[in-house]
């Protein structure tokens, strides 16, 4: 499975989206993923993520479960309905 995830073909087609208000987590996680060859977008506010991100590009979301102002449930509900 990990061999599949590390293929350049997959890495060219998807974006890893990091959403976390803790910059001590966000910066090194983004750097590590980029060093592995992934395209990464990072957001320190869930609202910025929801307003700025292009969801037509496939990928995954790493979402902080304890962000201020917006719960993970409300973020997930927004994604499901838009």
């Amino acid at each position: 499975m990990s061999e599949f995830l590390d293929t350049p073909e997959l890495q060219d087609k998807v974006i890893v989206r990091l959403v976390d208000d803790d910059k001590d987590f966000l910066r090194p996680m983004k750097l590590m993923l980029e060093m592995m060859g992934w395209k990464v977008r990072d957001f320190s506010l869930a609202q910025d993520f929801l307003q700025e991100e292009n969801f037509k590009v496939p990928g995954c979301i790493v979402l902080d479960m304890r962000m201020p102002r917006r719960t993970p449930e409300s973020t997930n509900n927004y994604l499901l309905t838009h």
Side-chain angles (χ1 to χ4, degrees), residues 3-17:
E3 291 174 9
F4 171 75
L5 294 175
D6 290 336
T7 62
E9 296 82 23
L10 179 63
Q11 291 174 335
D12 288 340
K13 296 178 183 175
V14 300
I15 296 176
V16 177
R17 297 161 175 98

Side-chain angles (χ1 to χ4, degrees), residues 5-53:
L5 294 175
D6 290 336
T7 62
E9 296 82 23
L10 179 63
Q11 291 174 335
D12 288 340
K13 296 178 183 175
V14 300
I15 296 176
V16 177
R17 297 161 175 98
L18 302 174
V19 185
D20 198 311
D21 61 322
D22 182 355
K23 293 186 183 199
D24 290 334
F25 168 82
L26 201 56
R27 286 187 202 123
M29 181 61 70
K30 180 180 182 185
L31 179 62
M32 180 188 71
L33 290 167
E34 287 174 336
M35 289 174 64
M36 294 173 65
W38 294 101
K39 295 177 189 173
V40 180
R41 297 270 327 254
D42 63 310
F43 302 89
S44 58
L45 295 173
Q47 193 62 33
D48 291 346
F49 162 66
L50 295 173
Q51 291 176 350
E52 298 173 17
E53 187 54 39

Side-chain angles (χ1 to χ4, degrees), residues 65-77:
M65 297 299 289
R66 296 183 297 171
M67 297 232 355
R69 299 188 199 146
R70 189 179 263 286
T71 66
E73 294 81 10
S74 69
T75 301
N76 187 50
N77 289 338

Side-chain angles (χ1 to χ4, degrees), residues 51-70:
Q51 291 176 350
E52 298 173 17
E53 187 54 39
N54 175 7
F55 295 105
K56 294 179 182 176
V57 178
C60 70
I61 302 168
V62 179
L63 179 63
D64 183 357
M65 297 299 289
R66 296 183 297 171
M67 297 232 355
R69 299 188 199 146
R70 189 179 263 286

